[in-house]
Amino acid sequence: MSRKYDLSPVLRDVSLRLFSGERLALTGPSGSGKTTLLNCLGGIDRPDSGSVLIGGEDLTRIDGEELAMLRRRKIGNVFQFFHLLPTLSVRENVEFPLLLLGVAPAQRRERAGSLLERVKMGHRAEALPSRLSGGEMQRCAIARALVHSPRVILADEPTGNLDSVNSANILELLQELSGEMETALVLVTHSEEAARICQREVRMRDGVLEEVRG
Amino acid sequence: MNLKPVEDRGGTARVSGVLLRQFTLRHWRGQPLRALLLVLLLSLGVAVFLSIRLANRAAVASFTNFASVLSTQADATIGAPAGLLPDSVLETLRQNMAVKGTDISAGMELIPIVEVVCAPPRSGEDGGIGARGSFTLIGVDLVALQNFAADQKMERRWFEEASQADEQNGGGALGRLLGRRNAVYCSGKLAAKEGLRVGSLLVLVVNDQPVSLEIAGIIPGRSDQPESPAGLLVMDLPALQELSGKVGLLDRIECLFPKGARQGASRDALLTRLRAAVGEAGSVRTGESRLAAAELMTRGFRLNLTILSLLALLVGLYLIFQALDAAVVRRRSEIAVLRALGVRGSEVRRAWLWEAALLGVAGGAVGVLGGWALAQGTVRAVSQTVNSLYYANNTEAAGLHPGEAAGAFLLAVGCSVLAGWFPAKRAAATPPAQLWAQGAGPGGAEADSALRTWVGCGLLFGAVGLAFCSPLTFSGGSRFALGGYLSAFFGVIGAGILAGDSLRLVAWLAARFSRHSAPRQLAQSHLRVPTSRHRWAAAGLLCAVSMTGGMSVLVGSFERSVSEWIAHLLQADVYLTSDSNQAATAYNRISSSSWRKITSDPAVSDWDAMLLVPVEFGGGSIRVAGTSLDFYQRRRQFSWLKEPLSAEVFDRKQNEGRCVVSESFAERFRVGRGARIRLPTPKGERALEIEGIYTDYGDDQGIVMVERGHLQEWFGTSAVSSLSLVLKAGEDPEAVRAQMRASHPGLAVFTNVHLRGEVMRIFRQTFAITYALEAIGVAVALAGLGITLASILAERRAELTTLRALGMSRTGIAGVAAWEGAILALGGTAGGLISSLGLGALLIFVINKQTFGWTLQPAIPLRALLLLGVVVPVSGAAVAWVVGRYGAELPSDVTK
């Protein structure tokens, strides 16, 4: 795919294939097009040419409302600034994607509960986000990103706002959970440690993708 | 860990419900005061609107429910098109409608009625006109009613209770009432209020004489009818005919159709037969048309009040809009996350609309209750004005009418959803968190400024165009200035939309004075590029100020016109009328012997007598005044719009077929000088040519003025309604007044000075309610300013933290908010004052002219506008300062 902003090419004939359970690190300097690529993968932005297929569904051929539905079903997001919903408790935040999908309360509770235990947040389930530390918030965000078993997790600098201890914990979690759940992971990062948890690493430079390893 | 994939069972409506439950309501719970204030402000708007509607309804209903207390609501009423019905009409009707076999008229009852509106005599130095209230004396044929009651359960109970009451008090069945000259039944309300019991005496003035009436009983309550009005008194028909000088005459005949003929074709057939039977002698009106006549008469007045009552609601709408728009900005990061999680734009929009609707539901529910409570106060003010201008009523309470309540509730919800539409659209357009984080948030401050300017200008141009539209005309000649009202609405909204631009100018000007003050500099910097919330707060203020200022211009112009008019009109030294004429429909007269005696008093050098009679004309009700046209002309009492071209109309010998008419009449019936009209009189129609048109701000239904002698002859009376006396040089008007009051206790006597004062007092009383409505509108707008600043400060926590770190005190931070509020209020007020001049012109030259038919002399009440220009910005600064103090206490911003 290709994408231009104000006639300046940001993505130039980028081609990428990702399999279930595969972890891909996307690195590169600021302004190289990493976030644009991630947005195109998540259906947030549309390429000018080319296509994006998730599980056979072409994101470039569906309208905004359908894209929202696709994000709801097939994509999980992890953000640098966590973006937990402030009025919802930890448990409610994690249950929220299931609520959107119309999952029954008991099943919601069970899935969210087991994921929270898995990310070691079971004891803070009823706390509001404003009461959590940065590491706790990101663990909660990871649980929310995975709770509906998405096909792909898009993580944009998930450790960019955390200290080294918390960063290591979060990366470990992402590695383990994406493997256990066979979810593809695209990890945008500047950190070499973060990139190391991925089987593949690609580097973006001036809108062109280069395979670094894998 | 292995979680199975989940199926999508979601639906837009269900997701919106989740958003409403998990976000909206939690936000409300998190800031209950803000939510409560918003609901209260909306409810205030609804309450004011509903209270005026209920008060109007109660005042109109009072017109028709006097007689219905005695009998079932009449199916039809027969009255004379002019003057009174002779008794003989009743006999003719009974013969023509005689029952034959299975005739549909079998069982129809004809109830003759005489009605007199009167008042208690003054005690000492009385209050103003209308201060004593009015009573309605109804004379009915009790013998006939008693016979009729044999078939009517409720009426029979009336007579049984009345009989029992009589017996307990030592009288026979209805004996105390029947045949007794001055015996009356009074309402329970009046008895309780005045402490009346059977046998008590009640003194009232009828025509020009005080009379003592003995209370024969209390009208029993009926569960299927409204409670008897407080001012209702019932007499036997012949007794009231004699008392009021209407021997052999009736005001109307009420017709009660048999049960099987009260609806549908049978009813129509019966009405047709009735009309044929009555012929030229009278006109037949149905119950509905009687109510419609009362509604028609007061339509302009009620409509104006209703529209004015919408001011607070309109300002409240700005607040809802502004609050929801602010919520979009405040919660945009949250919306962005929701969008990133897969919530669709349509789901966000729906949730936002639900929030607006919920606000409307809460505001509407509280507003309905508040409106009913408020109506108990406004009903008196409305009733007083209706009493002075249209017809007698003593309405003191307003019921909660289900239809009106439902209407107000739906208005609240509908308006709230309407106000929430644009914020909902903005919320739905919020991009997902990934894009929002890159600064692509929903519409920056200037994102849609071009569109806004175009819309604002478009509305203003539309307003100018609509001002030139012709009014809607209804049957009976009444008109509705639809184009004028739409023009006002478009103009105020358009100017409101452009209000934000005035903020830049005020901020720029403020910058000239803020170079050496940190709070002022900071405050004006916030308004250099005003946010949408700044703009909407200024728009709310502009709306309130322009409507208040516009009304001030109207009232000022009215006052100037009325002052000039009464200066023309009141040229005599002393004025007399029946002391019972406390309401517009009180037609008590001064007998021939009394007025001849008064006018021959040695202190009198010149005089005029006026006879005023109501007649039906062009499907509505007007008044015909009989006066000495020569006296009017000599004393320059006419304020001409179109002066007669010849002096013949002033010459009694030549003016029988001539008349002059008031401007309201000319406007209402679209007639001009030279037009010929046919006026109904008891002696047949009279053709009259309109010779001139004069202004008269005391009546909006229309007056035809003819020579008194002709009118007295046509209506077969030598009595008059009022007298104007010019005293000989050296005579003291106060002394003459005192002497005449002593010798004529049934007459109200005014000196020129006193009457001028009374006219202006009634004028100001009429507008008292409008001042209250305007004050509420301005208060709501100021509260809106406070809410806006509170939400802006809450969003500026990072800045507040910085200011505190830089060493700014709480007072300094409050000062920033106060200056910001003052600049906002100044911008809104300045725009409001400018648009109030346009609105004032619209009210004077279009709405007033089309509704009431009055030409007003424009006047700009500088003092009132100046006061508004000072009070609103100062209040705005004070509200903002309080909010600033609160803002200074907000916890520091810690970004997670």
Side-chain angles (χ1 to χ4, degrees), chain B residues 706-724:
Chain B
V706 297
E707 186 66 37
R708 184 186 67 246
H710 306 320
L711 191 66
Q712 284 177 321
E713 185 198 328
W714 300 339
F715 281 78
T717 180
S718 55
V720 296
S721 304
S722 64
L723 289 171
S724 309

Side-chain angles (χ1 to χ4, degrees), chain B residues 627-631 633 638 640 643-660 673 676 688-692 705-708 710:
Chain B
T627 186
S628 164
L629 292 169
D630 172 51
F631 178 89
Q633 177 68 354
F638 281 113
W640 292 113
E643 201 166 352
L645 297 174
S646 83
E648 288 173 6
V649 69
F650 306 115
D651 183 354
R652 192 187 168 181
K653 288 173 189 156
Q654 299 184 66
N655 65 7
E656 180 156 7
R658 302 171 201 274
C659 67
V660 293
R673 189 168 53 189
R676 295 184 73 83
L688 297 170
E689 183 171 342
I690 297 173
E691 298 281 331
M705 195 177 276
V706 297
E707 186 66 37
R708 184 186 67 246
H710 306 320

Side-chain angles (χ1 to χ4, degrees), chain B residues 157-352:
Chain B
R157 205 187 100 228
W158 197 94
F159 281 96
E160 283 165 3
E161 287 185 23
S163 304
Q164 283 164 10
D166 287 339
E167 282 161 7
Q168 282 163 13
N169 289 284
L174 288 174
R176 295 173 71 86
L177 195 60
L178 285 170
R180 293 279 293 275
R181 189 168 176 269
N182 289 347
V184 293
Y185 261 68
C186 75
S187 66
K189 269 189 193 172
L190 179 66
K193 192 176 164 189
E194 302 287 333
L196 297 173
R197 289 181 303 168
V198 174
S200 301
L201 287 180
L202 179 68
V203 182
L204 295 175
V205 175
V206 178
N207 287 325
D208 56 4
Q209 297 297 328
V211 291
S212 291
L213 303 172
E214 184 191 343
I215 304 297
I218 312 295
I219 302 166
R222 289 175 39 168
S223 59
D224 65 335
Q225 290 288 340
E227 198 182 351
S228 310
L232 177 67
L233 296 162
V234 178
M235 284 185 87
D236 194 22
L237 183 76
L240 186 58
Q241 282 177 314
E242 192 185 334
L243 187 68
S244 60
K246 294 179 180 175
V247 176
L249 298 168
L250 301 170
D251 278 283
R252 60 180 186 271
I253 299 168
E254 304 225 324
C255 311
L256 308 181
F257 291 176
K259 276 179 188 164
R262 302 197 73 179
Q263 287 169 341
S266 306
R267 175 179 178 269
D268 293 343
L270 212 47
L271 279 170
T272 308
R273 272 190 63 189
L274 208 52
R275 287 194 173 105
V278 175
E280 296 286 309
S283 58
V284 180
R285 277 185 175 182
T286 58
E288 307 93 77
S289 67
R290 190 169 149 74
L291 184 61
E295 285 181 343
L296 197 69
M297 203 190 302
T298 55
R299 176 179 283 155
F301 163 73
R302 288 181 295 114
L303 206 57
N304 276 325
L305 271 189
T306 302
I307 285 170
L308 201 58
S309 72
L310 285 170
L311 167 63
L313 193 59
L314 185 62
V315 178
L317 284 191
Y318 273 112
L319 290 188
I320 298 283
F321 178 95
Q322 183 257 101
L324 290 175
D325 200 46
V328 173
V329 177
R330 211 167 42 244
R331 299 182 210 160
R332 65 186 162 194
S333 62
E334 192 178 305
I335 303 169
V337 176
L338 291 172
R339 300 279 285 127
L341 291 175
V343 174
R344 291 186 285 188
S346 56
E347 290 161 345
V348 173
R349 183 168 56 240
R350 193 181 286 216
W352 228 259

Side-chain angles (χ1 to χ4, degrees), chain B residues 576-892:
Chain B
L576 298 97
T577 185
S578 164
D579 207 15
S580 252
N581 289 343
Q582 299 280 310
T585 43
Y587 289 103
N588 288 278
R589 307 236 168 104
I590 306 172
S591 67
S592 171
S593 58
S594 294
W595 72 260
R596 287 186 196 286
K597 187 177 162 197
I598 291 165
T599 53
S600 59
D601 191 286
V604 176
S605 74
D606 197 1
W607 59 273
D608 180 41
M610 181 184 278
L611 173 64
L612 207 55
V613 292
V615 302
E616 282 179 21
F617 182 86
S621 176
I622 63 157
R623 291 195 284 181
V624 183
T627 186
S628 164
L629 292 169
D630 172 51
F631 178 89
Y632 249 64
Q633 177 68 354
R634 267 190 292 118
R635 295 280 160 193
R636 293 186 296 172
Q637 292 187 180
F638 281 113
S639 178
W640 292 113
L641 270 179
K642 286 196 175 165
E643 201 166 352
L645 297 174
S646 83
E648 288 173 6
V649 69
F650 306 115
D651 183 354
R652 192 187 168 181
K653 288 173 189 156
Q654 299 184 66
N655 65 7
E656 180 156 7
R658 302 171 201 274
C659 67
V660 293
V661 299
S662 68
E663 185 187 13
S664 301
F665 181 91
E667 286 288 330
R668 183 177 172 190
F669 299 104
R670 311 302 296 161
V671 288
R673 189 168 53 189
R676 295 184 73 83
I677 56 171
R678 298 187 70 79
L679 204 66
T681 77
K683 293 193 175 168
E685 282 192 340
R686 291 287 185 271
L688 297 170
E689 183 171 342
I690 297 173
E691 298 281 331
I693 299 170
Y694 65 96
T695 53
D696 187 328
Y697 299 112
D699 177 281
D700 68 353
Q701 303 297 301
I703 292 181
V704 174
M705 195 177 276
V706 297
E707 186 66 37
R708 184 186 67 246
H710 306 320
L711 191 66
Q712 284 177 321
E713 185 198 328
W714 300 339
F715 281 78
T717 180
S718 55
V720 296
S721 304
S722 64
L723 289 171
S724 309
L725 308 179
V726 179
L727 302 182
K728 286 177 181 162
E731 292 289 348
D732 176 14
E734 283 296 343
V736 173
R737 176 179 181 238
Q739 173 222 316
M740 289 192 174
R741 283 179 68 154
S743 54
H744 299 279
L747 293 182
V749 189
F750 304 95
T751 63
N752 186 304
V753 174
H754 186 201
L755 191 55
R756 278 171 197 247
E758 271 300 285
V759 172
M760 293 316 290
R761 185 191 63 77
I762 291 173
F763 169 79
R764 291 189 183 108
Q765 172 194 297
T766 306
F767 283 100
I769 198 164
T770 63
Y771 296 135
L773 293 176
E774 288 163 13
I776 290 172
V778 173
V780 170
L782 284 171
L785 178 70
I787 294 177
T788 302
L789 287 171
S791 84
I792 288 173
L793 283 176
E795 285 158 29
R796 276 195 211 141
R797 287 193 198 187
E799 183 185 299
L800 293 176
T801 308
T802 310
L803 291 176
R804 279 194 288 246
L806 291 173
M808 191 174 259
S809 64
R810 278 180 61 198
T811 311
I813 292 174
V816 176
W819 275 107
E820 196 169 334
I823 294 172
L824 262 177
L826 211 55
T829 306
L833 287 177
I834 293 167
S835 53
S836 73
L837 298 179
L839 190 62
L842 186 73
L843 286 167
I844 294 168
F845 298 115
V846 180
I847 295 176
N848 156 72
K849 180 75 177 162
Q850 292 185 355
T851 307
F852 299 107
W854 291 326
T855 298
L856 301 180
Q857 303 298 317
I860 297 176
L862 284 177
R863 203 185 308 169
L865 295 183
L866 197 66
L867 191 70
L868 204 58
V870 172
V871 167
V872 175
V874 168
S875 309
V879 168
W881 193 83
V882 173
V883 172
R885 295 285 292 187
Y886 145 82
E889 302 284 350
L890 286 173
S892 298

Side-chain angles (χ1 to χ4, degrees), chain A residues 65 72 92 101 111, chain B residues 1 4 9 26 346-347:
Chain A
E65 294 286 280
R72 187 183 293 187
E92 287 171 328
L101 290 168
R111 284 178 79 104
Chain B
M1 177 152 194
K4 290 179 191 168
R9 293 180 200 139
R26 289 188 188 190
S346 56
E347 290 161 345

Side-chain angles (χ1 to χ4, degrees), chain A residues 35 39 44 65 68-69 71-73 77 79 83 85-88 92 96 99-102 111 114-115 118 130 137 144 148-149 180-181, chain B residues 1 3-4 6-10 14-15 18-19 22-23 26-27 334 337-347 432 434-435 438 896:
Chain A
T35 303
N39 285 346
I44 303 293
E65 294 286 280
M69 294 302 290
R71 280 200 295 275
R72 187 183 293 187
R73 292 193 313 266
N77 278 291
F79 305 97
H83 287 322
L85 294 159
T87 54
L88 304 189
E92 287 171 328
F96 193 75
L99 202 56
L100 290 179
L101 290 168
R111 284 178 79 104
S114 59
L115 256 174
R118 183 67 185 79
S130 56
M137 280 199 266
R144 185 178 69 182
H148 56 302
S149 304
E180 286 171 23
M181 297 173 71
Chain B
M1 177 152 194
L3 293 177
K4 290 179 191 168
V6 290
E7 282 176 44
D8 182 2
R9 293 180 200 139
R14 202 188 49 75
V15 172
V18 168
L19 298 183
Q22 297 215 331
F23 296 91
R26 289 188 188 190
H27 279 294
E334 192 178 305
V337 176
L338 291 172
R339 300 279 285 127
L341 291 175
V343 174
R344 291 186 285 188
S346 56
E347 290 161 345
Q434 295 91 329
L435 280 185
Q438 295 166 45
K896 294 281 184 188

